[in-house]
């Protein structure tokens, strides 16, 4: 019963992502639109990378959620599915999930640098756009380092 509930929750936890993710792509296009002179290349490169990252990681995450949901059905060898999921990020099959998130982070930072160089909007807005990916990456990196 727990696996059925966990599988259902896993499938239902994708609902908030389904609500905001379609709005992220038009928002990135809207941020790339006003770039004209100085930050054009960086902004468009970053926006394209972020859109690619949202698309690839969203599709990969939906696939992983479906695998977890199907693992809750009766008659499935749950140990094999657990072994697959634990190895997925280190094998090439999990590359879209990991690389998509890297593309999102790098793309948003490049887009923010392009907005900052192009002097589009307020400077604090470009810095605020780049801050969450940078802070999140740094905290994740610091959390993985061993304490001495």
């Amino acid at each position: 019963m727990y696996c059925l509930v966990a599988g259902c929750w896993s499938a239902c936890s994708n609902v908030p992502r389904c609500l905001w993710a379609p709005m992220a792509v038009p928002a990135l296009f809207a941020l790339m639109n006003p770039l004209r002179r100085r930050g054009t290349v960086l902004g468009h490169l970053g926006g394209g990378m972020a859109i690619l990252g949202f698309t690839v990681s969203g599709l990969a995450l939906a696939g992983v959620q479906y695998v977890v949901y199907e693992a809750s059905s009766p008659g499935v060898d749950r140990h094999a599915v657990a072994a697959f999921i634990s190895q997925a990020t280190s094998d090439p099959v999990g590359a879209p999930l990991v690389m998509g998130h890297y593309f999102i982070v790098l793309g948003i930072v490049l887009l923010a640098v392009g907005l900052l160089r192009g002097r589009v909007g307020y400077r604090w807005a470009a810095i605020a756009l780049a801050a969450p990916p940078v802070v999140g990456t740094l905290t994740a990196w610091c959390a993985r380092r061993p304490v001495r």
Side-chain angles (χ1 to χ4, degrees):
M1 183 67 178
Y2 172 75
C3 289
L4 177 64
V5 172
C8 181
W9 172 253
S10 176
C12 294
S13 67
N14 216 9
V15 171
R17 181 181 174 88
C18 292
L19 294 177
W20 69 262
M23 293 183 280
V25 173
L28 288 169
F29 277 119
L31 285 171
M32 290 188 304
N33 189 29
L35 292 172
R36 293 289 178 242
R37 278 175 264 140
R38 288 187 65 191
T40 305
V41 174
L42 283 175
H44 285 97
L45 183 66
M49 285 180 69
I51 290 171
L52 179 68
F54 273 116
T55 306
V56 169
S57 68
L59 290 173
L61 185 62
V64 169
Q65 295 289 336
Y66 183 71
V67 166
V68 171
Y69 176 72
E70 285 298 319
S72 67
S73 60
V76 175
D77 184 14
R78 290 180 180 87
H79 297 292
V81 174
F84 167 74
I85 290 175
S86 67
Q87 287 288 88
T89 56
S90 60
D91 286 341
V93 73
L97 185 64
V98 177
M99 291 307 294
H101 286 91
Y102 288 146
F103 279 177
I104 291 170
V105 169
L106 186 62
I108 288 177
V109 169
L110 285 176
L111 177 61
V113 170
L115 289 171
L116 196 63
R117 282 184 50 102
R119 298 175 197 232
V120 176
Y122 296 109
R123 298 185 96 156
W124 63 265
I127 293 168
L129 179 66
V134 170
V135 170
T137 303
L138 287 176
T139 55
W141 181 72
C142 290
R144 277 190 253 145
R145 292 186 56 138
V147 178
R148 294 179 192 200

